[in-house]
């Protein structure tokens, strides 16, 4: 396996990032996860646009998108696989041990890992912690992911693959690495970005392609929604068959199944929508 680091492909066994890299010491970094099918990235332009937005939100220099594209192409060519998770990581680079940044410039890493197609449905749990819809990192895809690690571990303990958060005012927000949609009386709804959720790439495409409505939703909507589904880069559109102790028999329901078909068809027609 080879990855991209310091402007070139390197062997994964010998590639090294400084122990003083700000991404390691204080989580000062951003990232994107891109689905790669037979060596071709999906929605790469949208991912790179969000990478730039996240960099600006964190106060990092704009990434050199031409280099990022070259890096992605080189890594995909060097590591052929049918379905992969292409990870672009961009950090504050070598710096002091405190929160102040150094002057060495950012670090760019592009790596690829094998992935498998997700099941058509999954179980989720709600967690007692909240998303801060007014925080400094709200809406940015940063490497400060420890909160998600803790929440996802809670979900795994309960036989689920995702944990769902409310925000500080009790509205449904998002999962640790996914956006959430609910079906009410045949209509698809998802929390707006103002709720504090990440503006997911798959979320945006699903809204565009299905006509889903962005709606402020209380967390307890999960107790009465006719259908629930998740979206993310590697889930695409995935039905939910259990929320906490509530079973949703027959998942994927008819509305979710239609959304899944639409997404598969539209994504298959255009790899960079």
């Amino acid at each position: 396996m080879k990855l991209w680091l310091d402007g070139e492909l390197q062997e994964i066994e010998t590639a090294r990032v400084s122990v003083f890299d700000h991404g390691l010491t204080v989580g000062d970094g951003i990232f994107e996860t891109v689905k790669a099918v037979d060596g071709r990235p999906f929605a790469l332009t949208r991912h790179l646009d969000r990478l730039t937005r996240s960099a600006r939100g964190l106060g990092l220099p704009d990434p050199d998108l031409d280099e990022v594209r070259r890096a992605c192409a080189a890594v995909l060519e060097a590591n052929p696989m049918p379905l992969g998770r292409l990870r672009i990581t961009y950090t504050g680079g070598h710096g002091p041990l405190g929160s102040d940044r150094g002057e060495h410039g950012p670090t760019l890493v592009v790596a690829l890992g094998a992935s498998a197609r997700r099941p058509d449905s999954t179980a989720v749990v709600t967690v007692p912690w909240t998303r801060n819809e007014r925080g400094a990192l709200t809406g940015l895809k940063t490497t400060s992911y420890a909160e998600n690690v803790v929440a996802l571990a809670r979900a795994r303990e309960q036989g689920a693959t995702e944990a769902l958060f409310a925000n500080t005012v009790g509205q449904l927000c998002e999962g640790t690495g996914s956006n959430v949609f609910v079906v009410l009386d045949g209509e698809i709804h998802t929390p707006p970005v103002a709720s504090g959720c990440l503006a997911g790439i798959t979320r945006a495409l699903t809204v565009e392609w299905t006509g889903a409505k962005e709606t402020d939703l209380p967390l307890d909507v999960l107790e009465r929604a006719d259908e629930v589904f998740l979206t993310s880069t590697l889930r695409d559109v995935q039905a939910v068959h259990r929320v906490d102790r509530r079973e949703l028999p027959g998942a994927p329901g008819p509305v979710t199944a239609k959304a899944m078909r639409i997404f598969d068809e539209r994504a298959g027609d255009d790899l960079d929508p």
Side-chain angles (χ1 to χ4, degrees):
M1 296 289 290
K2 293 185 177 181
L3 55 76
W4 184 277
L5 173 64
D6 292 336
E8 63 181 6
L9 282 175
Q10 299 190 29
E11 297 291 340
I12 194 169
E13 295 84 5
T14 56
R16 296 290 182 268
V17 173
S18 170
V19 295
F20 293 105
D21 192 279
H22 235 213
L24 172 65
T25 56
V26 296
D28 179 24
I30 57 176
F31 76 99
E32 288 290 325
T33 298
V34 182
K35 180 174 67 173
V37 181
D38 293 326
R40 301 174 67 189
F42 178 69
L44 182 60
T45 297
R46 288 182 184 245
H47 281 285
L48 296 186
D49 287 345
R50 188 173 64 183
L51 186 76
T52 299
R53 292 196 303 271
S54 292
R56 291 174 180 174
L58 214 58
L60 293 171
D62 282 5
D64 181 341
L65 298 188
D66 289 336
E67 180 188 0
V68 179
R69 285 185 179 275
R70 289 196 305 273
C72 291
V75 169
L76 288 168
E77 183 178 5
N79 306 289
M81 60 185 66
L83 181 61
R85 176 196 296 261
L86 185 66
R87 162 85 180 219
I88 305 165
T89 307
Y90 184 74
T91 79
H94 188 286
L97 290 175
S99 296
D100 289 331
R101 289 194 175 114
E103 299 179 355
H104 293 264
T107 298
L108 172 67
V109 180
V110 178
L112 183 69
S115 187
R117 177 175 168 79
R118 51 70 179 143
D120 283 344
S121 71
T122 192
V124 303
V125 300
T126 55
V127 290
W129 309 292
T130 59
R131 288 292 202 226
N132 180 1
E133 68 278 8
R134 296 184 296 171
L137 302 184
T138 300
L140 308 181
K141 196 168 180 68
T142 77
T143 57
S144 299
Y145 239 53
E147 184 177 72
N148 293 323
V149 172
V150 172
L152 188 57
R154 168 74 67 91
R156 296 291 188 185
E157 290 170 359
Q158 299 181 35
T161 69
E162 183 59 300
L164 301 182
F165 294 89
N167 62 17
T168 64
V169 294
Q171 296 171 333
L172 179 64
C173 188
E174 65 177 349
T176 66
S178 67
N179 292 106
V180 58
F181 289 70
V182 299
V183 178
L184 302 169
D185 297 324
E187 291 187 336
I188 304 174
H189 299 264
T190 192
V193 173
S195 70
C197 69
L198 183 72
I201 304 302
T202 309
R203 171 192 179 277
L205 292 172
T206 301
V207 169
E208 291 175 22
W209 293 344
T210 68
K213 298 180 178 180
E214 296 182 272
T215 310
D216 288 325
L217 301 162
L219 183 63
D220 66 8
V221 73
L222 297 171
E223 300 173 7
R224 51 187 169 83
D226 302 316
E227 302 174 35
V228 179
F229 64 85
L230 306 175
T231 62
S232 74
T233 291
L234 290 172
R235 294 178 190 268
D236 293 334
V237 176
Q238 184 182 35
V240 171
H241 61 252
R242 176 168 61 85
V243 179
D244 293 328
R245 295 174 181 264
R246 184 195 176 202
E247 298 288 342
L248 288 89
V255 178
T256 301
K258 183 178 179 181
M260 294 167 74
R261 288 195 301 272
I262 290 171
F263 191 90
D264 285 347
E265 290 170 3
R266 295 290 296 267
D269 290 340
D270 185 359
L271 282 176
D272 201 17

